[in-house]
Amino acid sequence: MNPSIVQPLREHPVLQFACEEWEKMSAMRPHAFVPGLPELVIGTWSDLDARCPERLNPALRVQMSNSVHSDDFIIQEEDGRLILSGKNERATLYAVYQYAREVWGLHWVYPGSEPQMDEPSSGSRIVPGRLVRFCSPKLERRGFVVETVRDPEYLKQMIDWMAKNGANEIFFTFMLWDEYRDELAPEIAKRGLQLTLGGHSMTFFTNRSESLRAFLADHPYTAKKQFNYNDESWFPAFFNQMSDYCKGVPNLTRLSLWPEDVADPSGGDFLSPYIRFSEQLKAHLHAEGIRVEVEHIAYNAGLAWHMLEMGGARPSASVDTLFAYWGRDYRYGYVSTPHENEQRARRALEEWAGAVHGTKRKLTLFEYYSDHFMLSSLFPALPKRIAKDVEYYANLGVDGIVNLIVPYRGPDDYPWQWVHGFNSFVFSRALWGEPLEQILHDYALYYPEDKRGAVQALFEVIESTVTELTRWNVPLFPARAVDPDKAAATKEQAEAIIGTLQRIRSQLSPALASAEIDPQSNLYKYAARLIEYSVKLEEQWRTIKIGM
């Protein structure tokens, strides 16, 4: 096979990009080609039906007819022919990447890095020559939310990495999108990714200077006043601005406009008028010929339960729901948690799930696995928690999960992009139903073979110790365990936090020493900072809260 002449079954930008990616990756592993393989077919399922329906394996055709998700794809390698085909163009690109992963052993662990190679001796590669696979994600919507990452090169790398790891959506605030749209739009389009705009950025249209102030702030709590959704007098002008802006946005799939990140002071039925606002916005956009989905958020801004729980609100028949509970103790799942606030959040989630699906709309979960504000720069690795969460959410019947990326902002030499990448990798792969053992195996390819066991042991210590600090996000709100100078903590709470910090140091120090990893590596810098910062914070907690 000569990769220079690979062409898709149909002209389409995403299919053409899939062929280009095939050529690029095949050059990395030229010995992986099957001798005598005469034909490569890259196209969608509808392309196959139109051009060569007789070529499909009968078992695959049955699975295709029962397909549930839009990103389902097939790989069929037999009888001297390789078919890489998806239900849509983006799914076809996924098929190309999946083949490269399974047969050529290429894995993309971190954005911007060269792929890691899984050699045949590892036992995880499938021998090329005959391969019949139907691949389907656990959930339809699989995305990342980016609010304040002002690094266009990293964002382009992230978009590339997302497609290679099966994510299908990237979500920007209006301020961030407006700043980098010209650079990012082509990268999104050629991969066929979905684009969502919104977040806490309605002030982009109502008060641009306030929007900029929030965009540049080093914490999320800049809002002083909540929008009044009971007063509909401002809706028409806002809707017109929104439709004018959205007409020029390629690949726009969804608007997800959230209230300000501050508690509604009324304590009453906040969600009903806000949902009506979302419904009217969608109706206006559709009347203008802008066929995008709209969703509202159920979110406990400022720990306000009436902004999360359904209460007297009715689920919408026209817009979707995004559920975002702020304040989880990530040591626990929603079912196993001992905390009443999280049990209450679970009850709210289950009520939303039943109500939303009763109206045939969609429910997406919003998570904080890559948030350096909520999780702080004492940032926990969460592979076990993420894998269990994905399973729970899938069993609950949610339609998707999006994961928030918030950067570290501080003076230290701290590789925050690399640090959150571990959780992001696990998140992306878990959403395709891959076992955690396989995900961790593939992640470990990033490291020298003789260090992989020690690396995994190090991450296990980090998850078992550092994650405990997330228990304080609600009791100390709006402060965190890393904010001793801001927290209104009791002496008992301070002593408990000090105990956690001591355990981090005492368990992580020997684990890092025994790992014998390169002191210049990002992993070493990450683990060393966890130890050093724990010592520093312990001293601060003792001085400020205990007087010792």
Side-chain angles (χ1 to χ4, degrees):
M1 184 189 302
N2 183 352
S4 66
I5 61 172
V6 173
Q7 294 294 326
L9 288 179
R10 170 173 52 89
E11 289 190 12
H12 187 281
V14 177
L15 296 179
Q16 186 60 48
F17 181 70
C19 291
E20 293 169 4
E21 289 290 89
W22 169 275
E23 294 178 2
K24 185 187 303 181
M25 293 182 298
S26 65
M28 298 177 186
R29 303 300 291 259
H31 64 279
F33 285 111
V34 181
L37 184 64
E39 186 177 7
L40 170 65
V41 177
I42 295 178
T44 64
W45 293 356
S46 60
D47 296 331
L48 292 179
D49 286 338
R51 299 280 295 275
C52 44
E54 74 287 349
R55 298 178 178 179
L56 282 175
N57 180 291
L60 279 182
R61 185 167 286 284
V62 171
Q63 291 176 296
M64 291 163 66
S65 66
N66 295 322
S67 171
V68 173
H69 296 301
S70 66
D71 285 330
D72 292 350
F73 63 84
I74 63 166
I75 300 173
Q76 178 181 312
E77 185 175 23
E78 57 185 1
D79 301 326
R81 179 186 297 116
L82 173 60
I83 298 175
L84 302 172
S85 181
K87 197 171 184 177
N88 60 41
E89 291 82 9
R90 177 180 62 245
T92 303
L93 178 62
Y94 293 157
V96 171
Y97 291 139
Q98 184 70 19
Y99 184 88
R101 180 183 298 125
E102 292 195 22
V103 178
W104 297 343
L106 300 180
H107 298 267
W108 298 270
V109 175
Y110 279 102
S113 66
E114 291 298 313
Q116 275 62 56
M117 307 290 189
D118 193 5
E119 297 302 330
S121 60
S122 72
S124 69
R125 293 173 73 247
I126 295 174
V127 177
R130 190 180 190 282
L131 175 60
V132 178
R133 287 288 307 276
F134 176 88
C135 298
S136 180
K138 289 185 76 71
L139 298 173
E140 174 67 24
R141 184 178 175 190
R142 309 170 307 280
F144 286 86
V145 180
V146 186
E147 294 184 324
T148 56
V149 180
R150 303 187 70 196
D151 184 342
E153 287 305 312
Y154 174 69
L155 291 173
K156 286 191 285 187
Q157 293 170 358
M158 189 74 190
I159 290 166
D160 176 67
W161 174 91
M162 284 172 54
K164 287 181 166 70
N165 285 283
N168 64 359
E169 174 191 339
I170 190 160
F171 182 141
F172 294 106
T173 59
F174 282 101
M175 182 65 78
L176 189 64
W177 173 254
D178 201 65
E179 185 165 355
Y180 300 128
R181 58 186 295 172
D182 291 341
E183 296 175 74
L184 302 181
E187 302 301 319
I188 294 170
K190 68 184 179 182
R191 294 168 176 83
L193 298 180
Q194 297 178 356
L195 172 65
T196 297
L197 295 180
H200 297 297
S201 64
M202 286 177 57
T203 54
F204 179 79
F205 297 98
T206 64
N207 187 335
R208 189 66 62 91
S209 61
E210 174 64 22
S211 180
L212 179 61
R213 184 173 73 87
F215 181 60
L216 299 177
D218 60 1
H219 63 87
Y221 305 119
T222 62
K224 306 299 182 185
K225 185 179 180 181
Q226 190 54 264
F227 284 100
N228 181 3
Y229 295 99
N230 284 301
D231 175 14
E232 298 186 6
S233 62
W234 58 277
F235 288 8
F238 181 87
F239 293 166
N240 287 332
Q241 286 182 285
M242 185 64 64
S243 60
D244 288 344
Y245 188 90
C246 291
K247 287 175 182 176
V249 180
N251 279 59
L252 182 62
T253 306
R254 181 182 297 103
L255 291 181
S256 184
L257 288 171
W258 310 341
E260 291 291 86
D261 200 355
V262 62
D264 164 57
S266 73
D269 183 6
F270 175 82
L271 287 173
S272 291
Y274 164 53
I275 292 173
R276 284 197 300 271
F277 161 84
S278 302
E279 292 171 333
Q280 291 179 37
L281 172 61
K282 181 176 181 178
H284 177 88
L285 293 171
H286 281 212
E288 294 291 313
I290 304 171
R291 296 290 171 175
V292 298
E293 293 298 329
V294 174
E295 71 182 358
H296 73 88
I297 194 170
Y299 162 58
N300 58 327
L303 304 186
W305 285 105
H306 70 288
M307 299 177 73
L308 178 81
E309 294 174 320
M310 188 176 298
R314 293 183 178 182
S316 175
S318 61
V319 299
D320 298 325
T321 301
L322 180 65
F323 184 92
Y325 173 69
W326 197 100
R328 288 184 63 187
D329 179 346
Y330 277 106
R331 293 176 298 171
Y332 305 105
Y334 275 113
V335 175
S336 62
T337 179
H339 304 306
E340 170 54 32
N341 61 299
E342 293 179 39
Q343 294 173 14
R344 184 174 177 179
R346 175 182 57 81
R347 293 192 292 270
L349 170 58
E350 291 174 350
E351 183 179 15
W352 275 111
V356 169
H357 291 145
T359 61
K360 309 300 183 184
R361 300 305 307 178
K362 294 179 180 178
L363 175 67
T364 298
L365 261 293
F366 185 97
E367 275 294 356
Y368 301 83
Y369 304 132
S370 300
D371 179 354
H372 264 82
F373 182 82
M374 175 192 269
L375 301 178
S376 82
S377 57
L378 273 177
F379 189 92
L382 297 171
K384 294 177 182 178
R385 175 78 278 127
I386 293 169
K388 290 178 181 178
D389 280 356
V390 168
E391 195 66 30
Y392 167 70
Y393 292 144
N395 289 336
L396 188 61
V398 307
D399 299 282
I401 311 175
V402 293
N403 178 36
L404 177 64
I405 299 173
V406 173
Y408 163 76
R409 293 189 175 181
D412 299 338
D413 178 19
Y414 174 69
W416 73 267
Q417 295 173 349
W418 184 92
V419 170
H420 90 76
F422 178 51
N423 286 350
S424 295
F425 181 78
V426 175
F427 170 74
S428 296
R429 299 288 291 274
L431 284 170
W432 282 85
E434 296 184 25
L436 182 59
E437 181 181 2
Q438 183 63 48
I439 297 171
L440 295 179
H441 167 273
D442 293 348
Y443 175 80
L445 297 171
Y446 185 79
Y447 303 92
E449 187 172 359
D450 62 339
K451 300 296 182 185
R452 292 171 187 171
V455 166
Q456 184 163 339
L458 189 61
F459 274 115
E460 289 176 354
V461 173
I462 292 171
E463 181 164 25
S464 67
T465 57
V466 180
T467 308
E468 186 175 342
L469 291 175
T470 63
R471 68 174 287 198
W472 299 106
N473 285 340
V474 168
L476 301 182
F477 184 85
R480 304 155 297 168
V482 297
D483 301 316
D485 56 330
K486 301 175 183 177
T490 65
K491 182 177 179 179
E492 289 73 20
Q493 288 174 327
E495 289 173 341
I497 292 169
I498 288 171
T500 300
L501 295 171
Q502 290 174 334
R503 283 190 292 278
I504 293 172
R505 183 187 71 248
S506 64
Q507 295 184 36
L508 191 52
S509 294
L512 178 59
S514 64
E516 297 182 343
I517 55 179
D518 181 2
Q520 299 303 313
S521 68
N522 283 325
L523 177 57
Y524 187 94
K525 291 178 182 179
Y526 167 44
R529 189 182 188 282
L530 291 175
I531 297 167
E532 294 164 3
Y533 197 24
S534 295
V535 172
K536 179 181 177 180
L537 282 173
E538 179 186 344
E539 294 173 353
Q540 291 177 347
W541 274 106
R542 288 188 182 280
T543 300
I544 294 173
K545 296 300 179 183
I546 302 182
M548 296 175 61

